Amino acid sequence: MTESESVVYRVVPKCACSTIGQIMYYSDHGEFFDGDIHDATGGMHKWAMDDSQPLITNNVQSHKSYAFTCVRNPYTRILSSFFDKICGIQRNGRRYRGNLVPLLIQKYGIEVGDPENGFEFDQIKSFRRFLLFARDTIRWRRPMEPDIHWSAMSGHISTFIVNGGTYDKIFWTEQFNDGMQDVLNAIETPKDVKLSDIPRFNESEGHGPKRAHPVEDYFDDLSMHLVYEIYKRDFNLFKYDFENPGNKMPIGEIDLDEVHAKLGE
């Protein structure tokens, strides 16, 4: 939530959250946070900060401010999680979650490459093995709890509703400018935000291998089955095309009433 309480945003990892956070920060302060917005400990309210929790709770439950979130195609989101979190070197210079990658190499036969060899490895084979791991964490919570970067978007989005929140807008990463502009048009911000001047803050870029193939090449019939098992609700509620991994664009309009009804249970 912005310090001015102009707007509330439910963060969904891997869905333009760095850019949205920086836009919110800018809309209050007229400048961007210097560094990764996820590291900011002031200048905006976050649920992770104890002092912010009562303010956010009060605002959300009384629907005092405009509330929104942003979603992304499940195929490209899980691929992005793999390349960023599993293959990439994190901003602290280390692998994500310390022993996670060695565990995947040992238990699932996943290769991730490394900067020394230019991240050369069989991306498709390794990604499909990672999908098995992601499914195991979500379905059986083994060999570990599911990670926020690959757990379903509907799970993130539902906690806001279950705790008394109401969304005014859910938009797609794939139509980011249109969706974010709708949010900005609906709120009053202390500082003007001109969306066309805002850079993209992709904090995960450049830390790992580039995707070597089109999206659809990573998903054979079995992979699609696994993705649907994990993300069925995401495809249905946020209107993405399960049948065609190559089509990242939504195929219908998001029905906010349906989202609140199905995720508020």
Side-chain angles (χ1 to χ4, degrees):
M1 182 171 72
T2 49
E3 282 189 329
S4 62
E5 301 198 23
S6 58
V7 69
V8 173
Y9 161 54
R10 176 37 169 128
V11 177
V12 180
K14 307 304 297 175
C15 299
C17 49
S18 297
T19 299
I20 293 169
Q22 287 281 15
I23 289 171
M24 289 170 66
Y25 190 93
Y26 185 94
S27 75
D28 263 2
H29 306 290
E31 61 184 16
F32 297 116
F33 176 71
D34 184 14
D36 187 328
I37 192 67
H38 300 310
D39 296 336
T41 54
M44 67 193 311
H45 292 298
K46 295 180 175 182
W47 188 254
M49 302 186 320
D50 291 343
D51 293 348
S52 296
Q53 287 193 7
L55 293 163
I56 292 173
T57 300
N58 178 42
N59 185 304
V60 165
Q61 292 184 343
S62 59
H63 202 179
K64 208 157 82 180
S65 304
Y66 189 92
F68 75 99
T69 192
C70 180
V71 293
R72 181 179 185 179
N73 183 295
Y75 285 117
T76 56
R77 181 170 174 262
I78 186 85
L79 260 180
S80 172
S81 294
F82 173 69
F83 281 110
D84 171 20
K85 297 298 171 195
I86 306 304
C87 306
I89 307 298
Q90 303 310 298
R91 58 181 186 273
N92 61 10
R94 293 194 288 274
R95 291 284 186 186
Y96 182 58
R97 292 179 69 154
N99 63 354
L100 173 60
V101 170
L103 171 91
L104 290 177
I105 292 169
Q106 182 200 344
K107 279 194 181 296
Y108 290 85
I110 289 171
E111 297 175 349
V112 294
D114 60 64
E116 282 73 52
N117 68 8
F119 290 107
E120 284 294 317
F121 66 102
D122 187 330
Q123 292 187 355
I124 290 173
K125 187 167 84 175
S126 274
F127 171 72
R128 289 177 184 172
R129 291 178 174 190
F130 164 71
L131 255 187
L132 279 172
F133 162 74
R135 190 277 308 267
D136 290 350
T137 65
I138 287 163
R139 187 84 186 269
W140 293 293
R141 307 187 113 64
R142 290 201 311 260
M144 58 181 275
E145 292 285 310
D147 186 272
I148 59 169
H149 297 91
W150 56 78
S151 55
M153 296 180 292
S154 47
H156 293 288
I157 287 168
S158 70
T159 59
F160 184 83
I161 301 168
V162 168
N163 288 297
T166 305
Y167 291 104
D168 298 290
K169 177 84 177 173
I170 298 175
F171 65 88
W172 301 293
T173 312
E174 294 79 13
Q175 295 178 356
F176 182 83
N177 281 6
D178 292 345
M180 195 68 225
Q181 192 61 59
D182 285 347
V183 172
L184 292 169
N185 291 347
I187 64 177
E188 297 280 329
T189 56
K191 308 285 183 188
D192 277 342
V193 179
K194 193 169 179 214
L195 207 50
S196 56
D197 294 345
I198 302 280
R200 286 289 178 272
F201 292 87
N202 185 354
E203 299 301 346
S204 63
E205 198 166 52
H207 303 305
K210 290 263 180 287
R211 183 159 57 77
H213 312 281
V215 171
E216 57 270 27
D217 287 7
Y218 291 86
F219 299 95
D220 60 0
D221 186 60
L222 176 61
S223 309
M224 288 174 66
H225 177 81
L226 290 173
V227 167
Y228 195 62
E229 186 182 330
I230 305 171
Y231 302 120
K232 181 179 179 183
R233 255 181 155 177
D234 289 355
F235 282 107
N236 293 341
L237 284 175
F238 310 124
K239 311 304 178 189
Y240 285 109
D241 185 357
F242 163 70
E243 303 292 340
N244 178 10
N247 174 27
K248 68 178 186 180
M249 299 307 286
I251 51 174
E253 293 300 318
I254 294 172
D255 181 339
L256 279 179
D257 290 337
E258 180 190 19
V259 170
H260 285 108
K262 292 197 170 153
L263 297 186
E265 294 163 354

